[in-house]
Amino acid sequence: MKLLRRFGVEALGWLLVVVGIAALVLPGPGLLALFAGMALLSTQYEWAERRLEPVKRAALRTAADGVATVPRIVASCLGAVALAAVGVVWGLHPPSPSWWPLPEKYWLLGGWGTGATLIASALIAAATIVYSVRNFRGKSEAEQERVIDAAVEPD
């Protein structure tokens, strides 16, 4: 059973890494999938854990910085809403505009599959904003560092 669990964790970790790398150039949450894959692999491999810790620390520091001011929070929320709106439009697949130089079949490729990944990315962004506000907004630099340390090194 332990071997089966290890195989499942490794297979899912590597799958997420590959999907994350692909989604860096395709629509979707590429960095998040890549991070999730590395997080799973870090439970099995020390090399993955060493590479994940500085990335996690930098991501949390960026999350803290992103909610430092109200305009940043508003801009982040507007970005998430815009991303969801683009996903809906992409899924509805309106006709191509007159300025589109290619045939109609190349306009908004992917339909609802692409639209759904954009909407999922917007939901993940919204959840990240909520997490950041709850954990970092209004806290001193030292308190923020304690939260980051606890998240990076939960031992």
Side-chain angles (χ1 to χ4, degrees):
M1 191 63 175
K2 196 173 187 179
L3 184 63
L4 185 62
R5 181 185 178 282
R6 179 183 169 106
F7 176 77
V9 167
E10 284 187 44
L12 183 58
W14 284 112
L15 177 67
L16 284 168
V17 166
V18 169
V19 167
I21 290 169
L24 290 174
V25 295
L26 300 171
L31 288 175
L32 185 63
L34 188 57
F35 181 78
M38 288 298 291
L40 282 174
L41 292 175
S42 74
T43 65
Q44 305 296 319
Y45 299 107
E46 190 177 318
W47 63 264
E49 186 175 355
R50 284 192 313 271
R51 284 167 179 77
L52 187 65
E53 284 182 19
V55 172
K56 191 173 183 181
R57 185 172 295 282
L60 289 168
R61 171 60 26 224
T62 301
D65 292 344
V67 295
T69 64
V70 172
R72 287 183 184 180
I73 296 169
V74 170
S76 296
C77 290
L78 289 174
V81 169
L83 187 59
V86 168
V88 170
V89 169
W90 203 292
L92 294 174
H93 201 279
S96 64
S98 60
W99 53 263
W100 183 250
L102 301 175
E104 174 82 23
K105 68 181 181 179
Y106 295 114
W107 173 249
L108 301 179
L109 294 173
W112 276 112
T114 302
T117 61
L118 292 169
I119 294 167
S121 296
L123 293 173
I124 292 166
T128 303
I129 294 165
V130 170
Y131 171 85
S132 299
V133 167
R134 292 186 67 182
N135 286 286
F136 299 117
R137 180 81 178 132
K139 293 189 175 168
S140 70
E141 186 85 19
E143 290 172 314
Q144 290 177 2
E145 286 304 317
R146 280 195 289 277
V147 171
I148 291 170
D149 288 342
V152 173
E153 301 163 9
D155 297 336

